[in-house]
Amino acid sequence: KSRVTGLKMDFNLNVTPDAEVQIIFDSKAGDIIRGQGNGNLHLEINTLGDFNLFGEYVIEQGDYLFTLQNIINKKFEVEKGGTIRWNGDPYEAILDMKAIYRLKTSLYDITLDSTYKSRVPVECVLSMKNSLMHPDMAFSINLPTADSKAQGIISNLPPDEINKQIISLLVMNRFVTPESMKGGIQAAESRSSSNAFGVNSSELLSNQLSHWLSQISKDFDVGVNYRPGDELSTDELEVALSTQILNDRVSINGNVGVGGQQHNASGQFMGDFEVEVKVNRSGKLRVKGFTKSNDNLIYDTSPYRQGLGLFYREDFDSFSGLMKRYWEAIFKRKKTTNEKK
């Protein structure tokens, strides 16, 4: 603890996404939450050197490098809207956030149904709540494009089985068949651990290659992801690119990929593209357009889906205060127009 005497400081900070915030759990293992967001924070140091922190920080975007016994290292994406709240002691912050690790894998192992052999998006969701130093952590699994049968099987799994499936997804990039579902069937779905080693090795090399490519230019973030195939599906290669142009008024994110389909299927080219434009400088009014590959082809015949949206965001403490702000802005504009005439 630093010895500070006779010094008093008081800060009121309006934090914006321009600043990166880090919560370091273990710097050696890289167990760190990084993010950008918004918040109003009050920091104070009294003459005795006591440091207090008050306020709430709302995450706009971020990532969390999840580590387990220095064996598993997976980058989770922190979900927008997560909060960190302080009421004095900086170490007694209250967390309420979710982080998601996204992958594609077959649902065959969890359904034992041959119609689910194709790879589909799967989300490993990590919820972190309560104390910053000793958070309550819980895992869940989300299937964004799966039908009700597959989602029902996942939702009926007990917590211990969910944790087992999460470990399998993080380590081997696949589900494991629960003992209760195997019955007398031999593990026809059992695969050698060499495939798990190949998946993690390729992911390590992909991450390193992505890091090297991103060093070429500070204006572009380039990512490469390669996953070796197995007896159900072919190899998969994906390249992602994101950038911001025109003084960060336009954000472009896209990725293209090939492979990942069943061995007896024809080659499949996949691609997602997203553009977001800040109409005004504050970014409160935005236009967003996208085209994405359609993962749920069981019910939809189109391989792609497109969309266009208009967003407006306003922060306020009370609805009456918001109306007053609008009224004053309109009245000021009318007054300025009349003066010019």
Side-chain angles (χ1 to χ4, degrees):
K1 183 178 180 180
S2 301
R3 297 182 60 184
V4 181
T5 58
L7 180 63
K8 181 179 180 180
M9 294 188 290
D10 199 310
F11 298 92
N12 287 301
L13 303 181
N14 180 25
V15 185
T16 68
D18 300 300
E20 181 183 85
V21 175
Q22 296 186 6
I23 300 178
I24 303 174
F25 294 104
D26 188 339
S27 58
K28 294 182 178 179
D31 201 355
I32 302 173
I33 295 179
R34 293 184 176 89
Q36 291 85 38
N38 299 276
N40 293 307
L41 302 180
H42 183 168
L43 293 76
E44 59 182 23
I45 301 176
N46 62 21
T47 56
L48 300 177
D50 296 326
F51 176 61
N52 290 311
L53 178 58
F54 302 90
E56 184 178 72
Y57 184 78
V58 182
I59 295 177
E60 190 76 18
Q61 62 178 9
D63 59 70
Y64 172 47
L65 184 62
F66 175 76
T67 62
L68 181 61
Q69 301 296 325
N70 291 324
I71 299 176
I72 301 176
N73 291 276
K74 302 292 183 180
K75 181 175 286 188
F76 282 66
E77 180 182 341
V78 179
E79 192 176 57
K80 181 179 179 179
T83 61
I84 309 172
R85 189 173 66 254
W86 288 272
N87 293 307
D89 189 341
Y91 295 103
E92 294 298 326
I94 303 299
L95 297 179
D96 187 3
M97 64 176 64
K98 290 182 179 180
I100 302 174
Y101 177 74
R102 294 179 172 86
L103 69 149
K104 282 189 175 182
T105 190
S106 168
L107 300 180
Y108 173 74
D109 297 296
I110 199 71
T111 62
L112 294 182
D113 188 335
S114 59
T115 60
Y116 293 94
K117 288 186 177 181
S118 298
R119 287 180 180 174
V120 297
V122 177
E123 297 178 348
C124 301
V125 183
L126 171 61
S127 299
M128 294 176 282
K129 294 181 179 292
N130 299 326
S131 172
L132 169 68
M133 302 304 294
H134 303 285
D136 296 330
M137 305 177 74
F139 282 105
S140 60
I141 299 174
N142 184 34
L143 306 176
T145 62
D147 58 19
S148 57
K149 176 183 176 181
Q151 293 182 359
I153 292 175
I154 293 294
S155 62
N156 290 327
L157 294 176
D160 290 345
E161 187 61 40
I162 288 288
N163 292 336
K164 184 187 298 184
Q165 296 297 335
I166 288 289
I167 295 298
S168 178
L169 289 169
L170 295 180
V171 176
M172 298 185 294
N173 198 56
R174 57 174 281 254
F175 286 100
V176 291
T177 306
E179 293 295 329
S180 59
M181 295 179 60
K182 288 182 178 179
I185 303 175
Q186 286 294 325
E189 81 288 348
S190 64
R191 303 165 197 167
S192 64
S193 59
S194 60
N195 184 59
F197 176 78
V199 168
N200 283 275
S201 299
S202 64
E203 185 170 356
L204 179 62
L205 293 174
S206 297
N207 291 338
Q208 187 62 48
L209 180 58
S210 300
H211 175 72
W212 288 337
L213 291 174
S214 297
Q215 301 304 309
I216 298 175
S217 173
K218 294 182 179 180
D219 299 326
F220 296 90
D221 186 10
V222 183
V224 177
N225 186 21
Y226 169 74
R227 293 185 184 276
D230 51 30
E231 59 267 34
L232 294 179
S233 57
T234 61
D235 296 356
E236 182 178 352
L237 177 64
E238 185 177 21
V239 179
L241 172 68
S242 63
T243 184
Q244 292 183 326
I245 58 177
L246 301 179
N247 293 325
D248 295 339
R249 294 284 293 272
V250 179
S251 300
I252 302 174
N253 295 283
N255 65 77
V256 293
V258 64
Q261 73 277 2
Q262 297 182 39
H263 287 286
N264 58 355
S266 58
Q268 181 181 3
F269 181 83
M270 304 167 293
D272 298 338
F273 191 73
E274 178 181 290
V275 178
E276 184 176 271
V277 181
K278 297 179 182 178
V279 178
N280 54 3
R281 293 193 176 185
S282 64
K284 292 182 179 180
L285 182 61
R286 305 186 182 198
V287 176
K288 183 177 181 179
F290 71 87
T291 176
K292 295 183 178 180
S293 55
N294 198 347
D295 295 302
N296 192 359
L297 293 180
I298 298 177
Y299 305 105
D300 299 317
T301 57
S302 175
Y304 291 95
R305 50 192 176 93
Q306 295 80 30
L308 182 67
L310 183 66
F311 301 85
Y312 182 77
R313 174 176 175 175
E314 190 75 67
D315 296 328
F316 56 92
D317 296 324
S318 65
F319 186 74
S320 59
L322 178 64
M323 293 296 99
K324 181 180 179 181
R325 189 193 311 170
Y326 284 153
W327 176 258
E328 291 176 349
I330 295 172
F331 182 77
K332 183 178 180 181
R333 181 172 296 179
K334 286 183 177 181
K335 183 178 179 180
T336 302
T337 303
N338 293 331
E339 290 176 351
K340 287 181 179 180
K341 290 181 178 180

CSV table of all heavy atoms in Angstrom, one decimal, residues 114 123 173 221 287:
chain,number,residue,atom,x,y,z
A,114,SER,N,-28.7,-39.1,-37.3
A,114,SER,CA,-27.8,-38.8,-38.5
A,114,SER,C,-28.2,-37.6,-39.2
A,114,SER,O,-27.4,-37.1,-40.1
A,114,SER,CB,-27.9,-40.1,-39.4
A,114,SER,OG,-29.2,-40.3,-39.8
A,123,GLU,N,-22.8,-21.9,-29.2
A,123,GLU,CA,-22.2,-20.8,-28.3
A,123,GLU,C,-22.0,-21.4,-26.9
A,123,GLU,O,-23.0,-21.9,-26.3
A,123,GLU,CB,-23.2,-19.6,-28.3
A,123,GLU,CG,-23.3,-18.9,-29.6
A,123,GLU,CD,-24.3,-17.8,-29.6
A,123,GLU,OE1,-25.0,-17.7,-28.6
A,123,GLU,OE2,-24.3,-17.0,-30.6
A,173,ASN,N,-13.6,-29.6,-29.5
A,173,ASN,CA,-14.4,-28.9,-30.5
A,173,ASN,C,-15.6,-29.8,-30.9
A,173,ASN,O,-16.0,-29.8,-32.1
A,173,ASN,CB,-13.6,-28.6,-31.8
A,173,ASN,CG,-14.3,-27.6,-32.7
A,173,ASN,OD1,-14.6,-26.5,-32.2
A,173,ASN,ND2,-14.5,-27.9,-33.9
A,221,ASP,N,-7.8,-5.4,-39.0
A,221,ASP,CA,-7.7,-6.5,-38.1
A,221,ASP,C,-8.0,-7.8,-38.9
A,221,ASP,O,-9.1,-7.9,-39.4
A,221,ASP,CB,-8.7,-6.4,-36.9
A,221,ASP,CG,-8.5,-7.5,-35.9
A,221,ASP,OD1,-7.5,-8.2,-36.0
A,221,ASP,OD2,-9.3,-7.6,-35.0
A,287,VAL,N,-26.8,3.5,-39.3
A,287,VAL,CA,-27.4,2.7,-40.3
A,287,VAL,C,-26.6,1.4,-40.4
A,287,VAL,O,-25.4,1.5,-40.5
A,287,VAL,CB,-27.5,3.4,-41.6
A,287,VAL,CG1,-28.1,2.4,-42.7
A,287,VAL,CG2,-28.4,4.6,-41.5
